Amino acid sequence: GNSVTQMEGPVTLSEEAFLTINCTYTATGYPSLFWYVQYPGEGLQLLLKATKADDKGSNKGFEATYRKETTSFHLEKGSVQVSDSAVYFCALSGYPSRDDKIIFGKGTRLHILP
Amino acid sequence: EPEVTQTPSHQVTQMGQEVILRCVPISNHLYFYWYRQILGQKVEFLVSFYNNEISEKSEIFDDQFSVERPDGSNFTLKIRSTKLEDSAMYFCASRGTAGQPQHFGDGTRLSIL
């Protein structure tokens, strides 16, 4: 079945460092790919998405490119801030088809040090 | 921006008791979902609901679970006889028509004693 694998955390970086969180997926058909973020004590927020191969999703300085040839959707940010500390989930779904349940990776906890 | 709201934020229940988790989806949304996240584990799909019926459910969603949209605004998840392993964060989500992603609530933390 469909699945998502993302790098284990926690990841600890200094402020202004470059961030990469790796994510690969296994899926039939043409899934949509997402990154969700969970700040401490809060729910899941959609950070960015891409719905077809070679699409680049971006938001708040984060970006990820849908790579079908490598089945990857790595999250990157050029200069992280303390406020980026959170848990990041890579996810996929069959959306916009009827099979639109979201399948999540295990999450990567990110700590940014001032 | 419209939000999905969930109540209560934390529910403590004795094992074997029934519990109802409540969600108010975004008002013009048509598709509704429940997910759960056991502490330290990944978020897992439970059930999807559209047009007053279940569209899909996971293996987790057994006979102890049910969902209902009792009126035009609420979407509930009921667990009939709770078990210790039901302790988790439960997230509700909703989306509009095709082309719209799911929006999540802040979750209800369910603790079974």
Side-chain angles (χ1 to χ4, degrees):
Chain A
N2 295 350
S3 66
V4 174
T5 303
Q6 62 183 103
M7 64 189 289
E8 296 280 333
V11 173
T12 302
L13 296 172
S14 296
E15 203 166 23
E16 298 183 2
F18 183 87
L19 169 71
T20 299
I21 300 178
N22 290 336
C23 171
T24 58
Y25 67 90
T26 301
T28 55
Y30 303 94
S32 293
L33 302 175
F34 308 89
W35 278 99
Y36 281 84
V37 59
Q38 186 176 31
Y39 297 103
E42 298 185 15
L44 295 165
Q45 298 178 25
L46 178 64
L47 180 60
L48 53 84
K49 68 179 172 76
T51 58
K52 61 182 187 296
D54 300 325
D55 266 3
K56 178 185 284 189
S58 61
N59 186 24
K60 299 181 180 180
F62 291 90
E63 57 183 36
T65 301
Y66 188 141
R67 301 286 189 200
K68 192 165 177 62
E69 64 275 13
T70 54
T71 62
S72 65
F73 193 55
H74 304 320
L75 182 68
E76 296 181 335
K77 186 174 185 182
S79 177
V80 292
Q81 306 301 312
V82 173
S83 57
D84 294 328
S85 297
V87 181
Y88 292 81
F89 293 92
C90 186
L92 68 80
S93 86
Y95 149 95
S97 76
R98 284 181 60 87
D99 178 17
D100 66 345
K101 64 180 179 291
I102 296 178
I103 295 172
F104 289 87
K106 290 186 176 181
T108 302
R109 184 174 299 278
L110 175 65
H111 293 291
I112 305 301
L113 303 175
Chain B
E1 184 176 335
E3 293 182 340
V4 176
T5 56
Q6 293 185 240
T7 55
S9 57
H10 190 190
Q11 174 81 45
V12 182
T13 301
Q14 292 287 332
M15 186 173 61
Q17 295 297 304
E18 175 183 286
V19 67
I20 297 176
L21 308 182
R22 303 183 189 280
C23 169
V24 179
I26 294 173
S27 63
N28 61 347
H29 282 189
L30 302 175
Y31 300 82
F32 313 109
Y33 310 82
W34 284 100
Y35 295 80
R36 78 172 186 191
Q37 183 183 27
I38 294 173
L39 187 63
Q41 299 186 24
K42 62 179 166 182
V43 179
E44 302 170 289
F45 168 78
L46 292 178
V47 65
S48 58
F49 190 88
Y50 169 73
N51 199 26
N52 283 322
E53 61 183 24
I54 291 174
S55 305
E56 185 177 359
K57 59 184 180 180
S58 71
E59 293 177 352
I60 302 167
F61 195 89
D62 62 22
D63 292 344
Q64 293 300 310
F65 290 86
S66 63
V67 289
E68 191 178 31
R69 188 157 163 79
D71 52 42
S73 60
N74 290 284
F75 180 52
T76 61
L77 174 69
K78 182 193 290 186
I79 309 175
R80 288 188 184 82
S81 179
T82 50
K83 304 186 286 287
L84 292 176
E85 53 265 37
D86 293 327
S87 295
M89 180 74 86
Y90 288 80
F91 292 104
C92 174
S94 70
R95 73 169 176 91
T97 54
Q100 299 296 318
Q102 294 179 31
H103 293 259
F104 284 78
D106 284 345
T108 293
R109 180 169 298 284
L110 177 63
S111 300
I112 307 300
L113 304 179

